[in-house]
Amino acid sequence: MSLLMNLNPQQRKRLHQIALVATFGGLLFGYDTGVINGAFSSLKADMALTPTSEGLVMGVLLIGAAIGSVCGGKLADFFGRRKYLLYLSFVFFFGALCSALAPNIASLLIARFLLGYAVGGASVTAPTFISEVAPTEMRGKLTGLNEVAIVIGQLAAFAVNAAIGSLWGHLPEVWRYMLLVQAIPSIFLLVGMWRSPESPRWLISKNRREEALVILKQIRPEQRAIKEYEDIIMLMDIEKENKLHAKGAFHIIFNTPWILKLLLVGIAWAAIQQTSGVNVIMYYGTEILKSAGFSERTSLICNVLNGVFSVGGMLFGVLYLVDRFKRKTLIVNGFAIMATLHLLIAVADYTMTGDIKATVIWLLGALFVGVMQGTIGFLTWVVLAELFPL
């Protein structure tokens, strides 16, 4: 029997609590990227957005996320995983308040940029934190929870927007209520991380070894904790002997052709995932359904189906598909089905009219999201994790 199976109830509970709290970073990722979907119609009318300002409102969050993800690794190494996630929870909260109270478009763009920065930082730090506290046998499962939390966050945003739209959709500034709800998950992340320990691996890297061992013993059997503690120290000593820590990541990458090749493949693969079309539905789903023929209130409610299919597709892929089929098989078939659904949506838009057109586009869009999340949506992160050396 493995040492993992000898975890006592308290150790198992503590491990799951830490992993669950860290996934609130992914939940905020999903919620903050999905909330603009339902709020956009009201926001566009209330602030009289032009096509340019519409694109800026949508895109500035992703610009902030790109910067946050680039800076996230270094800052998490400097402050620590736990402390940096605490700081990000404040940024999430402040950005949510500022976006809901924004008096003009410039203020809204700044607030959305801050939220994007927090999203990018959390997308890097939360999976790292989870992977460093999780036992090897549970690392894939627990780290995968962060991806599931992202789509659950998007579903929650769609559902909350639909509820708020149904109750207060007649108000011209209803978008403010929708954006304000973003602050609630950030409070949960703040409280949860406040009660969580620091990553043992990070503590050891800062020569805080006694603290690291105490934390490991909270989430591992004692013998397993000691063995893992010694393994981490040994690996860090090897890195120091080889002077890998002094060379820097870019020096190693650009002077090792096979690693550079893998990096370029990884970047290309991540870019392909993001250009699959899913973000169009996740960000503009309500607008698409309105243009197809649904009313604004009906569009908000029907858009929830996109979130349901997103969560359902990812869970089906993670729990059933990933261990039964080759990665390549799932990727090729996923792209083939998605391309077919894109074409069917286009055909429906050009050939149908009335309620039947809106219904068909709604169902095909939801099915597309489910297929995407059940194949390349989560497989991208699995492939990237398997592609690179430790």
Side-chain angles (χ1 to χ4, degrees):
M1 182 180 292
S2 71
L3 289 172
L4 178 65
M5 299 302 292
N6 292 329
L7 283 173
N8 62 48
Q10 185 175 358
Q11 290 169 335
R12 190 177 296 275
K13 180 181 178 181
R14 182 64 168 153
L15 176 62
H16 289 165
Q17 284 176 341
I18 295 169
L20 183 62
V21 165
T23 61
F24 272 100
L27 186 74
L28 279 159
F29 183 135
Y31 199 98
D32 288 6
T33 54
V35 70
I36 197 66
N37 188 326
F40 190 66
S41 296
S42 171
L43 170 64
K44 181 170 65 172
D46 188 48
M47 285 199 168
L49 299 182
T50 65
T52 300
S53 57
E54 288 179 21
L56 286 173
V57 168
M58 288 292 188
V60 72
L61 184 138
L62 299 179
I63 294 172
I67 295 173
S69 63
V70 170
C71 299
K74 289 290 185 181
L75 291 174
D77 286 343
F78 181 78
F79 292 110
R81 290 46 164 138
R82 171 186 171 272
K83 188 176 290 186
Y84 189 53
L85 284 170
L86 275 173
Y87 293 156
L88 289 175
S89 68
F90 282 106
V91 178
F92 274 121
F93 185 79
F94 183 71
L97 289 182
C98 289
S99 62
L101 301 174
N104 51 52
I105 185 65
S107 302
L108 180 62
L109 291 176
I110 293 172
R112 294 271 296 164
F113 176 84
L114 288 174
L115 284 170
Y117 179 88
V119 163
S123 70
V124 172
T125 310
T128 301
F129 180 73
I130 295 171
S131 68
E132 290 181 349
V133 299
T136 306
E137 301 93 323
M138 299 177 68
R139 190 164 294 154
K141 177 182 177 182
L142 292 180
T143 306
L145 288 177
N146 192 66
E147 306 307 320
V148 176
I150 292 174
V151 293
I152 290 176
Q154 291 173 331
L155 172 59
F158 298 160
V160 171
N161 284 350
I164 293 175
S166 297
L167 293 173
W168 300 297
H170 59 284
L171 299 177
E173 294 189 343
V174 66
W175 62 272
R176 296 188 185 274
Y177 304 124
M178 294 178 178
L179 297 186
L180 184 60
V181 178
Q182 296 174 104
I184 296 176
S186 66
I187 296 173
F188 284 108
L189 178 63
L190 171 63
V191 174
M193 291 310 303
W194 197 278
R195 297 167 60 88
S196 295
E198 184 52 86
S199 160
R201 184 178 179 85
W202 182 83
L203 289 172
I204 292 174
S205 72
K206 301 300 179 183
N207 290 318
R208 296 163 60 180
R209 297 186 175 186
E210 292 183 4
E211 294 177 59
L213 185 57
V214 169
I215 292 170
L216 280 171
K217 288 181 178 179
Q218 293 177 7
I219 54 178
R220 306 280 196 278
E222 185 170 354
Q223 291 181 349
R224 172 68 176 267
I226 295 172
K227 179 66 169 59
E228 193 166 320
Y229 169 80
E230 293 173 346
D231 287 344
I232 294 172
I233 292 175
M234 181 183 67
L235 286 172
M236 289 186 173
D237 288 341
I238 291 173
E239 288 178 1
K240 289 179 180 178
E241 288 177 7
N242 294 332
K243 298 182 179 180
L244 293 177
H245 66 290
K247 292 180 179 179
F250 286 107
H251 181 275
I252 296 172
I253 290 169
F254 288 107
N255 287 277
T256 312
W258 66 273
I259 294 181
L260 178 61
K261 181 180 178 181
L262 289 180
L263 177 64
L264 294 175
V265 169
I267 291 173
W269 176 240
I272 289 171
Q273 185 220 38
Q274 288 299 300
T275 55
S276 64
V278 68
N279 287 334
V280 174
I281 294 178
M282 286 301 172
Y283 291 165
Y284 294 98
T286 304
E287 292 291 298
I288 291 171
L289 294 176
K290 281 178 60 182
S291 66
F294 285 138
S295 68
E296 182 169 348
R297 180 170 295 185
T298 303
S299 297
L300 281 169
I301 295 171
C302 291
N303 189 57
V304 176
L305 186 67
N306 291 335
V308 172
F309 270 63
S310 179
V311 174
M314 180 166 286
L315 288 176
F316 183 74
V318 170
L319 298 177
Y320 179 78
L321 296 178
V322 69
D323 291 328
R324 287 176 168 81
F325 300 97
K326 294 179 180 179
R327 312 287 193 246
K328 183 177 178 180
T329 300
L330 291 176
I331 290 168
V332 171
N333 284 283
F335 269 118
I337 296 172
M338 286 189 295
T340 302
L341 290 170
H342 274 311
L343 291 172
L344 290 176
I345 291 172
V347 169
D349 186 49
Y350 277 101
T351 61
M352 297 180 179
T353 58
D355 291 342
I356 185 66
K357 170 184 172 180
T359 303
V360 169
I361 290 177
W362 168 44
L363 294 175
L364 288 174
L367 184 59
F368 166 81
V369 171
V371 172
M372 187 274 173
Q373 297 290 16
T375 54
I376 69 169
F378 82 95
L379 268 178
T380 294
W381 310 110
V382 175
V383 170
L384 291 180
E386 295 174 341
L387 187 65
F388 299 115
L390 292 176

